[in-house]
Amino acid sequence: MRPRGFNRRGFFGRDPDGGIQRFRDHSYSLSDDQIEAALFNWERDRGIFVVVCVGLLAAIPLAALYDVLTIPFGVGLVAGAAFMAVKALVADFRAWQIQQGRFGAPVEYLNHRLPRNMQIMEKER
């Protein structure tokens, strides 16, 4: 029961073409309408997860205002918000992959979404 080690190839990309061929192989049997529907669904899911995340965080001061906030309840609200934030990040990553038309690496996605001064750089060997 040991966690798997960090896979640099998976995070920084394992496809020499940036995942274009793998995306084409995966989506060759799908119509344009099906791909657009998948993109819409991932974007919808991202929006739902963000709204639920914000709602859970907004429930903390409301629970304190009505004097029903306990430590386990507060921890549960924060944990639920963190879980929803991760789900929103995954949904946004999937939507980004469809928009790009390739299975891009997570580091490319993060470099695309993060501000310029926070981007991830790989050391030269």
Side-chain angles (χ1 to χ4, degrees):
M1 303 243 345
R2 297 175 68 189
R4 290 187 296 173
F6 178 69
N7 184 356
R8 290 185 60 79
R9 288 190 65 213
F11 186 71
F12 288 100
R14 61 178 177 240
D15 299 316
D17 66 347
I20 295 170
Q21 188 58 44
R22 202 162 40 108
F23 185 85
R24 286 182 184 158
D25 293 343
H26 185 73
S27 62
Y28 79 95
S29 63
L30 301 175
S31 69
D32 289 341
D33 291 337
Q34 290 173 316
I35 293 173
E36 287 295 320
L39 175 62
F40 174 79
N41 289 338
W42 282 116
E43 289 176 339
R44 181 202 59 211
D45 290 351
R46 177 190 57 205
I48 291 170
F49 293 142
V50 167
V51 167
V52 171
C53 179
V54 170
L56 288 170
L57 291 175
I60 295 172
L62 286 175
L65 180 68
Y66 289 107
D67 202 29
V68 294
L69 183 65
T70 62
I71 291 175
F73 185 52
V75 169
L77 289 173
V78 170
F83 179 73
M84 288 295 124
V86 169
K87 295 286 285 180
L89 185 69
V90 169
D92 190 49
F93 177 57
R94 297 297 179 211
W96 176 81
Q97 286 180 326
I98 294 172
Q99 289 169 344
Q100 294 286 311
R102 63 191 183 96
F103 287 128
V107 73
E108 294 173 13
Y109 162 75
L110 290 173
N111 282 338
H112 184 260
R113 293 289 197 232
L114 290 174
R116 191 147 185 78
N117 61 348
M118 294 177 61
Q119 292 185 353
I120 301 168
M121 301 295 180
E122 186 176 7
K123 290 191 320 187
E124 294 292 326
R125 294 183 191 191

